[in-house]
Amino acid sequence: MPFEVYEELSADPVAQDLVLGSKITTDMLHGWVKNVTSLSTGEISPTDYEVKLTDEFTTTAIGDFNVKVSVSSKVSNDKVEVSVPVTVSMGDAIELSNTQGEKIGALTVNDNQLSLVNVDQKVTGVIGNDIEIAVFDGNMQLPILNQTKPSKHAKLAATANKSEFIKLPIAGTITKDTVIKVANNGMQEDTELLINYYSGIKEWKMPYRFIEDQAIYYHYNGERFEAVEVAHLTKKTVAIKRMATHQDLDKVGNEFFLKPMDQTIKFISFSEYPDTSKVGKQPGKIIVEQTLPAGNKVRFEHNVEADIDTGTISFAADKTMVFDDITLTNKNMTVGRLSDDWQLKVNDTRIETLKSDWQLYAKVSGDKTLDPYMTYVDESNGKHSMLENVPIYQQKQSVEAANETIIKWEANQGIMLDIPKNSDLQADEKYQSTIEWALVLGEE
């Protein structure tokens, strides 16, 4: 007579969402099924059945999968196979691309290890250039990332065998505040080396212009990777005056970076100053420090560029010249300056090939009563009216000439008042005028 065979055991699948690199444990598999039921005894307690993978499956690739598991009763020999839908997403991982823009894998700490995994079902092996991984332990004291020897490092070589990734020979737990350096040897400036994912969502990409020394630095904060900003600051060329001192350069150290310095990132010092005695683009090196979230600090040495100008020539004078008080008499008199430290200054920072002779002239303009008596007394005690330009000083071009020229006069020389006995000046009056200076370059 005809009869129908019934399965002694049944189970329903439970869809799973996993992150890249997750380990699949026996305890985890128990949650992949539900409603495990025996035809004879009814629903079975989770302690009375086992769940195992029927086919080999690892979370080394992202995507959607149907994973077969077997459910076995511990009470009887009954067994049933169930197909479980599994979605694997990036989680806390960094995507790696090669110089051709092809995805070649990812680094993940989802299993609390530095693991290399696939990021696409189509990618089955390493493509392109070698990848170098360097690990800096979180307990390092103030490491300069691009100078400090890493605590661990490994190289993932390109291979013709694309059936699997070469195992990455870095063991040990990745602890909080660990920094990793990922470099693709031979990487070009337009390479998109790293893309950051979080919980399966593409969150942030490192633009090519941030690439420094063909490497990207990432900080592991205990939950996820974050770019180490101090290693990837955008730099700019800064115009610097010729012959600027180290102290002058220290004051503008922050200006070599587009990102304003904040409480977590700050300029420390120049490790190599640009040569300000030369003109044009001059290289230098700056150390910048970043405080990580847990309080640890890391540093990075950046190559910077200063644009040293060809120099300038400038003139400066004290704002006010005061003459001695006088009492008018029926005699000729020469009136000197109240202060003996009054001086003129010419600063010539031009490069030697541009330096030339220069002359300084002065004349008065402002008070028709006082101006006729304004007089320049030269080194030979010759007197010159200042109603027209009077040559005050002359400098011949010379490579030995000092950049700064200070012009001072003896008490009986320089700008004076030469008042005749029959002047138009009135007693008990105050007079003032304006001196116009002219700095003329070239031969007289």
Side-chain angles (χ1 to χ4, degrees), residues 166-312:
I166 295 176
K167 185 177 180 181
L168 194 64
I170 291 184
T173 300
I174 300 300
T175 59
K176 188 174 182 180
D177 264 357
T178 293
V179 174
I180 68 168
K181 168 187 174 183
V182 182
N184 187 345
N185 297 332
M187 183 174 66
Q188 303 299 313
E189 278 296 306
D190 58 352
T191 302
E192 291 180 354
L193 180 62
L194 297 178
I195 300 175
N196 202 27
Y197 283 79
Y198 184 58
S199 300
I201 300 173
K202 185 184 291 187
E203 183 182 67
W204 185 81
K205 179 172 66 178
M206 178 74 76
Y208 72 90
R209 64 181 181 275
F210 290 152
I211 289 173
E212 176 70 35
D213 296 334
Q214 299 192 339
I216 306 297
Y217 293 82
Y218 266 70
H219 166 239
Y220 181 54
N221 67 5
E223 298 178 354
R224 58 192 292 193
F225 285 118
E226 296 175 327
V228 180
E229 284 188 85
V230 73
H232 306 294
L233 297 174
T234 303
K235 296 169 290 186
K236 64 179 180 178
T237 300
V238 177
I240 300 294
K241 290 184 178 180
R242 185 171 173 270
M243 304 308 295
T245 65
H246 289 179
Q247 290 79 8
D248 294 334
L249 289 167
D250 288 338
K251 293 177 183 178
V252 296
N254 286 345
E255 296 182 15
F256 285 85
F257 304 94
L258 286 179
K259 183 187 189 314
M261 298 295 105
D262 54 27
Q263 291 182 347
T264 63
I265 300 177
K266 65 179 182 179
F267 163 82
I268 296 298
S269 65
F270 279 87
S271 53
E272 183 178 307
Y273 287 95
D275 187 351
T276 60
S277 68
K278 301 177 181 178
V279 297
K281 304 293 178 60
Q282 300 299 325
K285 293 182 179 180
I286 288 179
I287 293 178
V288 187
E289 181 181 280
Q290 179 176 357
T291 302
L292 300 175
N296 290 17
K297 295 179 179 180
V298 293
R299 292 180 173 182
F300 198 88
E301 184 182 59
H302 285 278
N303 294 317
V304 296
E305 189 177 67
D307 190 3
I308 312 301
D309 63 23
T310 56
T312 58

Side-chain angles (χ1 to χ4, degrees), residues 15-80:
Q16 299 295 306
D17 291 317
L18 304 178
V19 293
L20 202 61
S22 298
K23 293 180 180 178
I24 300 175
T25 65
T26 301
D27 291 340
M28 179 191 297
L29 288 173
H30 258 81
W32 287 30
V33 294
K34 64 179 181 179
N35 301 327
V36 179
T37 304
S38 169
L39 186 62
S40 57
T41 61
E43 188 168 345
I44 302 176
S45 169
T47 58
D48 291 332
Y49 64 83
E50 293 180 342
V51 182
K52 295 181 180 180
L53 290 172
T54 301
D55 299 324
E56 183 179 349
F57 175 75
T58 59
T59 59
T60 56
I62 61 174
D64 297 318
F65 307 89
N66 287 313
V67 181
K68 291 182 179 180
V69 299
S70 64
V71 184
S72 304
S73 172
K74 294 180 181 180
V75 179
S76 65
N77 292 325
D78 297 332
K79 181 185 295 186
V80 67

Side-chain angles (χ1 to χ4, degrees), residues 19 65 97 126-127 129 132 158 165 203 210 214 218 235 251 254 259 306-307 311 329 340 349 359 365 380 399 429:
V19 293
F65 307 89
S97 299
V126 179
I127 308 170
N129 296 318
E132 183 178 332
F165 283 108
E203 183 182 67
F210 290 152
Q214 299 192 339
Y218 266 70
K235 296 169 290 186
K251 293 177 183 178
N254 286 345
K259 183 187 189 314
D307 190 3
T329 67
D340 287 335
T349 62
Q359 295 83 37
S365 173
S380 301
V399 293
E429 290 287 340

